[in-house]
Amino acid sequence: MPDAVIVDAVRTPIGKRKGSLAEVHPVDLSAVVLRALAERTGIDPSVVDDVVWGCVNQVGDQASQVGRYAVLAAGWPESVPGVTINRACGSSQSSFDFAAGMVMSGQYDVVVAGGVESMTRVPLGSGRDLGRPFGPLVRERYAADLTSGEFPGGDFNQGIGAERIAAEWGFSRAQLDEYSARSHALAAAAIDAGAFDAQLAPVPDAPGLTADEGLRRGTTPDTLAKLKPVFREDGVIHAGNSSQISDGASAVLITTPERAAELGLTPIARYHGGAVSGADPLKMLTGPIPATAKVLKRTGLSVSDIGAFEVNEAFAPVPLAWQAEFGADPDRLNPLGGAIAVGHPLGASGTVLMTRLVHHMRDRDIRYGLQTMCEGGGTANATIVELLR
C-alpha cells in the first residue's frame, strides 16, 4: 500500500466574528489557501486529482458545493474537481483522512484536503428555520433527556453536553478557567515567537490581518471568573472557556513519496493512521476519547510515544476529560494554545489543527503527533502523523 505524505499545510489567520474576514466570501477565502499551496510548492494545479473540502453550515454563502467553487475561484483548471464534506466540527479532519485514504488506496496521486467556515456570514445553526433537524426517530430515541427541560428547545445542545462532561469528570469552574487562561497565554507566546508565521497565508482582502485575531492578551482566571454561565444558571460553561465563533480557511497537500520526488517536493510528515468513532450524542463531545483509543490500538502506539497532541478546545472540559482518561503529559497537550484563545472556524478547524501540528513537529523535531476533534452528534476523528526526518 502506498504511503500518504503531507507536502505542505497552510491556513489563513483566524478572524474573529465580525472581524477582519467578515467581508470575505467563504469561497474566495478558500481560494486564498488553494493559491497559497500552489505558490508555496510550485505545483501545477492541473496535477491535483481532487479537492476534498470541509464546510459545516452549507447554506447561504456556503451553499452550492463550496469545494468545487473554491477551485474555480482560485483560478485552477476547470478539470480539477472538488467535493464538500460535513462531519460537523471534524469536517476538514475527515477531508484529510479521506484524502489520505484515497492516496493510500492508489485512487489518487495528488490531493488537497481542507475546509472553510465564515461564521460571521453564515451563523451557527443557519437553515434551522427551513425545518427541524435531527428527525423524529432520533428525538424519540432520546426523548427522556430531550424533554426533561435540561435541553433548550428540546434539541441536542453542545453546551449542555459540556456541562455534563464537567460534572461527570468533576471539573470545577476554577479548573476550567485556569485551563482557558493557559490557552490564551500559550497562544500569545506562540504568536510572539513567530511559531505560526511559516504556515499563514495572507488574505489580500484583509491586509491588516497578520495573526489570529481572537486572542485576548492578559486573560487570567480572575478575569474569566467575572463571566456568567451560558447554559445553566449554576453552570460552569461560559463564553470564556468555550471556543470562539470565527472565520477562516486551511488546506493540506497530500501525495505519495514517489510522486513528491517526481514533483521535486520534500514532504513534512507521513500519515500514520486514522480512526473515527461515535459516542453519546447527549454529552456529544466525548468522542475524542474512544477515537484516540482506536487509533492508538490501530497503529500500535502508546500515549507516551506521542510528542504533541492537538485536542480541539470546543469547550475546556473536552481536552481536560481527554487528558484525564489518557494521562497525557500536560505540556504536550495543545502546546500552542487552542480554539478557546484563537477561535474555531468549524469546517476549517480540522486542517487548521493539522497545519499547526505538522509545523510544530518540524520546528521541535517531534516524531509523532496526534490530532482529535469532537463533533456534533457525538462523533470524533483521531489522526496520527509521523515526522519525516
Side-chain angles (χ1 to χ4, degrees), residues 9-336:
V10 63
R11 65 181 182 90
T12 66
I14 299 172
K16 64 183 180 181
R17 181 172 57 173
K18 299 182 180 179
S20 296
L21 297 178
E23 299 304 316
V24 185
H25 194 285
V27 168
D28 293 356
L29 195 59
S30 300
V32 167
V33 289
L34 293 182
R35 289 192 192 117
L37 269 186
E39 291 168 1
R40 288 158 62 106
T41 61
I43 65 162
D44 180 343
S46 66
V47 305
V48 175
D49 291 307
D50 204 356
V51 171
V52 189
W53 214 242
C55 185
V56 176
N57 290 296
Q58 296 180 33
V59 297
D61 286 351
Q62 294 178 166
S64 298
Q65 235 279 58
V66 176
R68 169 58 175 166
Y69 287 96
V71 169
L72 301 177
W76 286 16
E78 294 174 350
S79 59
V80 179
V83 64
T84 309
I85 289 176
N86 183 355
R87 201 195 291 272
C89 298
S91 295
S92 58
Q93 185 168 355
S94 277
S95 296
F96 178 80
D97 284 333
F98 293 161
M102 290 297 281
V103 168
M104 294 166 71
S105 74
Q107 298 296 304
Y108 291 167
D109 289 323
V110 181
V111 59
V112 174
V116 69
E117 203 82 27
S118 177
M119 299 180 75
T120 297
R121 299 171 71 97
V122 187
L124 187 65
S126 291
R128 290 195 178 193
D129 55 335
L130 302 176
R132 198 174 188 208
F134 314 125
L137 291 177
V138 172
R139 290 178 182 279
E140 182 180 342
R141 178 173 178 174
Y142 296 97
D145 284 273
L146 295 179
T147 62
S148 66
E150 182 183 12
F151 288 80
D155 285 338
F156 294 90
N157 185 286
Q158 292 191 15
I160 296 299
E163 288 282 4
R164 286 187 166 198
I165 293 168
E168 181 173 337
W169 271 268
F171 299 130
S172 67
R173 166 76 183 257
Q175 286 175 295
L176 301 181
D177 289 354
E178 286 169 6
Y179 177 85
S180 302
R182 169 192 183 267
S183 183
H184 283 276
L186 290 175
I191 290 171
D192 293 345
F196 302 133
D197 291 354
Q199 62 191 250
L200 296 180
V203 181
D205 290 333
L209 182 65
T210 58
D212 297 321
E213 195 171 34
L215 176 66
R216 295 187 295 273
R217 292 178 182 273
T219 296
T220 67
D222 289 340
T223 61
L224 294 174
K226 300 173 184 177
L227 300 176
K228 293 182 179 180
V230 174
F231 302 101
R232 292 177 177 166
E233 286 188 13
D234 61 346
V236 295
I237 303 298
H238 55 80
N241 57 31
S242 308
S243 58
Q244 297 180 39
I245 294 172
S246 310
D247 307 327
S250 55
V252 180
L253 181 64
I254 303 167
T255 185
T256 64
E258 295 77 15
R259 189 69 171 120
E262 290 173 4
L263 295 169
L265 303 170
T266 302
I268 301 172
R270 179 177 75 91
Y271 184 90
H272 193 72
V276 64
S277 185
D280 178 1
L282 296 165
K283 287 200 291 280
M284 196 175 297
L285 309 172
T286 57
I289 295 169
T292 296
K294 197 172 183 179
V295 77
L296 289 172
K297 182 178 181 180
R298 181 168 290 167
T299 59
L301 296 174
S302 67
V303 168
S304 62
D305 293 320
I306 310 298
F309 303 97
E310 284 279 356
V311 181
N312 193 42
E313 295 177 350
F315 299 88
V318 175
L320 287 175
W322 179 93
Q323 183 183 17
E325 290 300 304
F326 290 101
D329 182 343
D331 291 336
R332 299 183 183 187
L333 174 63
N334 297 339
L336 307 173

